[in-house]
Amino acid sequence: MIKGSEAVETVKETNVRTLKGTIILNVIVAFIGYFIFENPIAFIYGIFFGGTIAFLNFRLLYLTLVKAVRMQPHQAQAYAASRYMIRMVITGIVLYVSIKSEQLNTIGTLAGLFSIKLVILKTELFSNRQFFFNIFKRKEDK
Amino acid sequence: MEAITGRALILACSAIGAGLAMIAGIGPGIGQGYAAGKGAETVGRQPEAEGTIIRTMLLGQAVAETTGIYGLVIALILLFANPLINLL
């Protein structure tokens, strides 16, 4: 039987792996954006800003879920939905600041905000290459 | 009576559009709440699987939030950085 602390360790490992992936992706996007945008510093600031907030939101989601799974189901529903609204408001404030500020590029902020989702999709969903090879095979050949 | 200018019409329609775009934010909230409720139910039934349940929910809910953020981005752009006004 896996103890609770060992199981949470696995979630922590996932968090660390996602953070590393996000940093690597953001550095690559910042490097590409440096040559594309007229004001590359604003773009890099935007990516840093968006990426940081995205990871903090991810951390907030983790804390919410850890707390929610120990509640009664109906309480957990209300708690998770209310916390989602808080995260949404935080994202809204970040985007508003990014749109209004001269020092931040909005496209950079968006790239930073969505980077964590791309990392999760890449590491968890599209990590199995064999799956794509099997798409074009008939069931009998698998 | 004063005639409605093109700019005022665009601003009014943009505000309505922003409101409609924010409907996209409701779905993930309901979904996340539902998933968390089911997760709590499952942890109650099978406490040793808590880590796996949290991990799966974490990754799923993080990706599910994306559609809500899309709507939010559209709404904020329509309200504060409307590209349609420049077309007048």
Side-chain angles (χ1 to χ4, degrees), chain A:
Chain A
M1 196 177 108
I2 304 167
K3 284 181 187 171
S5 58
E6 284 176 33
V8 173
E9 193 60 38
T10 319
V11 184
K12 276 184 185 166
E13 280 169 16
T14 310
N15 277 347
V16 172
R17 202 180 57 223
T18 312
L19 176 62
K20 280 181 191 167
T22 310
I23 291 170
I24 292 169
L25 180 66
N26 281 341
V27 168
I28 293 169
V29 174
F31 185 74
I32 295 169
Y34 187 81
F35 297 104
I36 295 176
F37 285 89
E38 277 179 24
N39 185 2
I41 301 300
F43 182 73
I44 291 168
Y45 278 160
I47 281 193
F48 179 72
F49 187 51
T52 310
I53 297 295
F55 188 74
L56 290 176
N57 267 342
F58 186 66
R59 177 84 189 147
L60 196 58
L61 177 62
Y62 164 69
L63 295 174
T64 304
L65 291 179
V66 168
K67 211 171 169 185
V69 292
R70 287 167 193 166
M71 289 177 170
Q72 293 293 318
H74 66 276
Q75 279 179 333
Q77 269 187 15
Y79 182 71
S82 65
R83 283 304 182 105
Y84 164 74
M85 286 302 160
I86 294 173
R87 284 198 304 280
M88 198 73 167
V89 168
I90 292 171
T91 311
I93 292 169
V94 166
L95 283 170
Y96 176 75
V97 168
S98 167
I99 289 169
K100 287 289 170 192
S101 169
E102 293 282 315
Q103 280 91 32
L104 295 169
N105 186 323
T106 311
I107 295 171
T109 310
L110 282 176
L113 277 175
F114 289 121
S115 61
I116 201 157
K117 328 279 185 201
L118 295 176
V119 169
I120 292 170
L121 285 177
K122 196 261 162 198
T123 54
E124 305 296 329
L125 201 61
F126 302 122
S127 55
N128 186 4
R129 251 184 225 175
Q130 203 56 43
F131 172 78
F132 293 100
F133 292 127
N134 285 343
I135 286 175
F136 300 106
K137 278 187 185 171
R138 291 176 65 90
K139 259 186 186 173
E140 303 86 56
D141 300 338
K142 282 180 190 172

Side-chain angles (χ1 to χ4, degrees), chain B residues 44-63:
Chain B
R45 223 181 297 132
Q46 209 180 344
E48 69 273 10
E50 190 188 353
T52 319
I53 292 165
I54 291 176
R55 185 175 172 278
T56 311
M57 272 209 301
L58 178 68
L59 297 171
Q61 296 200 1
V63 176

Side-chain angles (χ1 to χ4, degrees), chain B:
Chain B
M1 200 177 107
E2 239 179 79
I4 298 169
T5 61
R7 187 185 156 82
L9 186 66
I10 285 177
L11 285 175
C13 291
S14 299
I16 293 169
L20 290 175
M22 280 314 292
I23 294 173
I26 299 170
I30 296 170
Q32 283 192 2
Y34 191 74
K38 288 290 174 193
E41 245 179 64
T42 316
V43 169
R45 223 181 297 132
Q46 209 180 344
E48 69 273 10
E50 190 188 353
T52 319
I53 292 165
I54 291 176
R55 185 175 172 278
T56 311
M57 272 209 301
L58 178 68
L59 297 171
Q61 296 200 1
V63 176
E65 258 184 22
T66 315
T67 49
I69 300 176
Y70 287 149
L72 188 66
V73 170
I74 299 295
L76 286 173
I77 286 176
L78 281 176
L79 288 178
F80 301 112
N82 198 331
L84 301 173
I85 288 178
N86 298 332
L87 296 177
L88 281 176

